[in-house]
C-alpha cells in the first residue's frame, strides 16, 4: 500500500468542527485511512498554516463553455441561448471540446474543486480529459429536441443513453453518468416518455434544468395545466437520486414534491443573478428537507468556475431571497459546497472521514483577508478565494502541489484554449 499524508493542517470534520490533525490516504484504493495526530505517509503534503477541507463539489456545470467566457454577457437566458450561445455551439468539434474541458478542469483544480456534474456535447472527449486530469465527474450528453427533426432527436437521445451506459465506471470508477435531457421546455414530452424509462433501465439518474426562469414555467402551466415539477413527475423524472439544476421558480407544492421524491436541487446563484433569472428559495428548500447542492453553471453565465465564489454568492443571495440575514448561514453554505452537493450528484465525496474518498483541498490561511481566524467555516463561505487553494487531491492523487498543477501542462492548456476559442467564434461568425 502507498500512502499520502496531508500533514500539519487544521481539518474540517463532517460536523463542521475544525481539528488540528493529519489526513492519511491509501493511494491504491483512494480512500482516507485515518485522521489524527502524527500520521506519516510514503508521500507528504505540507498543510501547515492551512485548512484541509473536502474537495469542492460542483453540482452543475458545462465545463467546456469555459471557451465562451465573456463571449456574450448581459442578456436574459432565452435571448442569450438563442442569439449567442446555440449558434456558436453548433460549430463545436471534439477538438474544441477537449481544449475547453482542459481549460475548465484546470480552473477546477486551481480552485479546489475535485468533483463535478457536467451536461454537454462530445462527452467521450470530456471523459478522456477528466480521466487524464485526475478528477471525478458525473457526465451526461445534453439532449435537446427544439428546432430538430424527429430522426435527429432520436439520434441525440440514443447518444444520451449510449454515453450513460458506456462511460459509467470509467477512470477506475471516478466517472459516473446520468441521462441529461436539457430541460422540460426544450425536450418535447413524447421523447421524455420514450427515453426516460430506457435511462431507468440503465440505472442512471436523470439530470435537467428546471424552473430556472418564469418564462420556462408559464408554457408548461399553459400547455399542460400543471406546475413544471408535477409535469416532470408525470414523465418519470422526479425520483430519488435525480437532480435538477436551478429550481428558482418553485412553489410550495413543488418543494414538497422534491422533498418527498428525494430529488435534489443544484443551486447556481451566480448564473441566476447574471441572467436575472431570479432567487432560488434555498432556505425554504432546505427547511423542507430537500438536498440542495451548489453549481457554477457554465463559465459563459458566471463567468468563473470557482466554487468559493459560488459559496459567497449562495450566502448573500439566500439571505436576500429570504429577507433574513440568518438564512443560508455559513454552515449551510459549507454543506452546499461539499457534502450536500456530493449527496445531490450521488457521490460519496464531500466529507473527510475514514473510508471516504481521498478528495480534498488545502486552503492557505496565511493571508490578510483570512486574518484573524475566528471561524474557519465563516472564512470558507465569505472570505476565501480560489487563489488561496494551495493543494488539491482527488482519489488520493495530488493534482496540485503548492499551486503547481501536476496533471495538466498549464501553459499548453491556456494556449490551446485561446486558439480553440478564437477558431470557434470565427467559424460561427463567418
Ligand atoms: C444540451 S447541453 C447543455 C446546454 O445547456 C446550455 N446552457 C448553459 N447554461 C444554461 C442555463 O443556465 N440554462 C439552460 N441552458 C443552459 C448550454 O449552452 C448547452 O446548450
Ligand atoms: Zn446549466
Amino acid at each position: 500500500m502507498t500512502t499520502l499524508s496531508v500533514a500539519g493542517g487544521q481539518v474540517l470534520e463532517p460536523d463542521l468542527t475544525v481539528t488540528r490533525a493529519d489526513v492519511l490516504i491509501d493511494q491504491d484504493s483512494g480512500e482516507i485511512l485515518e485522521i489524527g495526530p502524527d500520521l506519516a505517509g510514503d508521500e507528504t503534503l505540507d498543510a501547515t498554516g492551512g485548512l484541509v477541507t473536502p474537495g469542492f463539489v460542483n453540482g452543475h456545470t458545462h465545463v467546456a463553455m469555459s471557451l465562451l467566457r465573456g463571449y456574450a454577457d448581459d442578456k436574459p437566458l432565452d435571448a442569450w441561448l438563442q442569439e449567442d450561445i446555440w449558434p456558436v455551439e453548433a460549430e463545436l468539434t471534439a477538438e474544441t471540446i477537449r481544449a475547453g474541458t482542459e481549460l475548465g478542469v484546470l480552473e477546477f483544480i486551481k480552485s479546489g474543486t475535485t468533483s463535478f456534474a457536467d451536461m454537454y456535447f462530445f462527452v467521450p472527449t470530456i471523459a478522456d480529459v477528466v480521466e487524464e486530469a485526475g478528477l471525478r465527474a458525473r457526465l451526461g450528453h445534453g439532449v435537446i429536441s427544439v428546432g430538430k427533426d424527429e430522426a435527429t432527436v432520436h439520434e441525440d437521445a440514443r447518444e444520451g443513453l449510449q454515453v450513460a451506459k458506456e462511460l459509467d465506471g470509467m477512470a477506475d470508477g471516478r466517472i459516473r453518468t446520468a441521462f441529461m435531457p436539457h430541460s422540460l421546455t426544450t425536450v418535447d414530452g413524447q421523447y421524455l416518455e420514450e427515453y426516460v424509462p430506457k435511462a431507468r433501465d440503465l440505472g442512471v439518474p436523470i439530470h435537467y434544468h428546471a424552473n430556472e426562469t418564469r418564462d420556462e414555467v408559464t408554457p408548461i402551466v399553459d400547455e399542460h395545466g400543471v406546475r413544471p415539477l408535477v409535469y416532470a413527475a408525470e414523465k418519470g423524472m422526479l425520483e430519488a437520486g435525480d437532480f435538477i439544476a436551478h429550481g428558482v421558480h418553485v412553489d410550495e407544492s413543488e418543494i414538497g414534491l422534491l422533498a418527498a421524491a428525494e430529488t435534489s436541487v443544484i443551486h447556481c446563484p451566480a448564473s441566476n443573478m447574471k441572467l436575472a433569472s431570479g432567487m432560488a428559495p434555498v432556505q425554504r428548500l432546505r427547511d423542507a428537507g430537500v438536498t440542495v447542492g451548489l453549481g457554477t453553471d457554465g463559465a459563459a453565465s458566471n463567468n468563473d468556475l470557482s466554487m468559493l465564489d459560488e459559496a459567497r454568492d449562495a450566502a448573500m443571495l439566500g439571505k436576500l431571497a429570504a429577507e433574513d440575514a440568518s438564512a443560508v448561514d455559513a454552515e449551510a453554505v459549507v454543506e452546499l459546497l461539499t457534502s450536500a452537493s456530493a449527496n445531490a450528484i450521488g457521490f460519496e465525496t464531500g466529507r473527510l472521514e475514514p473510508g471516504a474518498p481521498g478528495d480534498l483541498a488545502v486552503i492557505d490561511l496565511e493571508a490578510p483577508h483570512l486574518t484573524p481566524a475566528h471561524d474557519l467555516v465563516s472564512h470558507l463561505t465569505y472570505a476565501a478565494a480560489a487563489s488561496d487553494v494551495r493543494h488539491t487531491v482527488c482519489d488520493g492523487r495530488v493534482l496540485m502541489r503548492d499551486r503547481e498543477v501536476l496533471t495538466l501542462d498549464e501553459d499548453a492548456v491556456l494556449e490551446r484554449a485561446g486558439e480553440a476559442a478564437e477558431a470557434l467564434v470565427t467559424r460561427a461568425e463567418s
Side-chain angles (χ1 to χ4, degrees):
M1 177 173 41
T2 318
T3 56
L4 170 72
S5 173
V6 182
Q10 304 191 67
V11 177
L12 184 67
E13 306 268 1
D15 65 0
L16 303 187
T17 58
V18 174
T19 313
R20 187 23 234 113
D22 301 340
V23 180
L24 190 68
I25 306 172
D26 172 358
Q27 294 188 294
D28 302 326
S29 70
E31 282 182 5
I32 296 173
L33 290 169
E34 205 179 334
I35 298 177
D38 306 321
L39 299 173
D42 300 305
E43 187 184 348
T44 303
L45 207 49
D46 181 15
T48 309
L51 173 67
V52 185
T53 160
F56 308 135
V57 182
N58 189 340
H60 174 77
T61 190
H62 314 279
V63 67
M65 288 187 86
S66 59
L67 293 189
L68 298 177
R69 186 193 325 265
Y71 174 69
D73 301 316
D74 312 322
K75 287 188 178 184
L77 177 66
D78 207 40
W80 176 74
L81 284 175
Q82 302 216 32
E83 293 167 14
D84 302 294
I85 300 299
W86 284 343
V88 188
E89 286 180 339
E91 299 297 329
L92 287 168
T93 63
E95 196 191 341
T96 325
I97 292 285
R98 177 174 291 278
T101 306
E102 284 177 347
L103 178 65
V105 301
L106 178 66
E107 191 177 352
F108 284 161
I109 294 170
K110 295 203 82 169
S111 54
T113 292
T114 50
S115 42
F116 65 104
D118 196 85
M119 174 198 290
Y120 217 49
F121 312 106
F122 297 92
V123 185
T125 302
I126 298 172
D128 283 346
V129 176
V130 171
E131 180 165 33
E132 284 160 25
L135 288 164
R136 194 183 298 283
R138 188 172 289 280
L139 305 177
H141 169 82
V143 178
I144 297 187
S145 73
V146 282
K148 290 182 182 161
D149 62 50
E150 218 173 302
T152 313
V153 182
H154 284 294
E155 221 174 276
D156 202 29
R158 278 197 292 268
E159 186 172 348
L161 291 176
Q162 192 184 3
V163 155
K165 184 174 175 195
E166 291 180 5
L167 304 186
D168 202 29
M170 225 184 109
D172 295 326
R174 284 185 286 110
I175 292 178
R176 303 303 311 271
T177 59
F179 184 63
M180 300 193 181
H182 174 254
S183 80
L184 299 171
T185 50
T186 52
V187 185
D188 194 87
Q190 73 177 93
Y191 303 110
L192 298 175
E193 279 162 21
E194 181 170 349
Y195 287 97
V196 168
K198 293 185 202 289
R200 293 285 173 222
D201 291 343
L202 296 177
V204 297
I206 314 287
H207 174 52
Y208 50 101
H209 297 89
N211 301 51
E212 180 176 358
T213 61
R214 280 204 188 85
D215 291 347
E216 220 186 323
V217 172
T218 315
I220 293 179
V221 174
D222 289 350
E223 202 176 318
H224 305 284
V226 290
R227 295 282 307 175
L229 294 184
V230 174
Y231 173 76
E234 287 171 2
K235 300 294 176 217
M237 296 167 67
L238 212 68
E239 294 196 359
D242 294 345
F243 55 110
I244 66 166
H246 301 294
V248 172
H249 300 281
V250 285
D251 70 8
E252 285 306 318
S253 70
E254 289 174 298
I255 293 176
L257 274 180
L258 287 163
E262 295 178 41
T263 295
S264 306
V265 174
I266 304 297
H267 177 42
C268 302
S271 170
N272 296 161
M273 288 190 280
K274 185 169 184 243
L275 302 172
S277 302
M279 300 186 280
V282 173
Q283 188 62 50
R284 284 196 285 131
L285 285 160
R286 281 176 56 90
D287 289 345
V290 178
T291 299
V292 181
L294 192 61
T296 57
D297 217 342
S301 62
N302 188 303
N303 287 4
D304 66 59
L305 298 177
S306 164
M307 286 294 284
L308 286 167
D309 274 8
E310 215 61 37
R312 183 179 154 95
D313 288 345
M316 303 297 188
L317 190 61
K319 292 171 198 316
L320 209 52
E323 294 186 32
D324 176 359
S326 72
V328 193
D329 62 17
E331 282 74 18
V333 171
V334 171
E335 281 177 21
L336 258 67
L337 188 60
T338 57
S339 57
S341 233
N343 290 341
I345 70 170
F347 283 172
E348 300 295 316
T349 61
R351 50 189 69 77
L352 298 180
E353 60 189 1
D359 293 18
L360 58 83
V362 178
I363 313 293
D364 207 334
L365 296 169
E366 292 169 357
H369 62 283
L370 299 176
T371 303
H374 291 303
D375 180 342
L376 298 181
V377 169
S378 165
H379 278 5
L380 263 189
T381 297
Y382 294 112
S387 53
D388 298 318
V389 178
R390 189 195 300 170
H391 313 301
T392 303
V393 174
C394 183
D395 211 32
R397 179 178 178 198
V398 182
L399 307 186
M400 179 172 77
R401 180 191 281 269
D402 291 316
R403 293 210 62 73
E404 185 193 351
V405 176
L406 305 179
T407 52
L408 293 163
D409 176 342
E410 186 165 349
D411 291 341
V413 167
L414 298 186
E415 193 179 333
R416 276 198 294 272
E419 287 167 4
E422 199 181 325
L424 172 67
V425 168
T426 304
R427 284 200 298 280
E429 291 176 356
S430 61

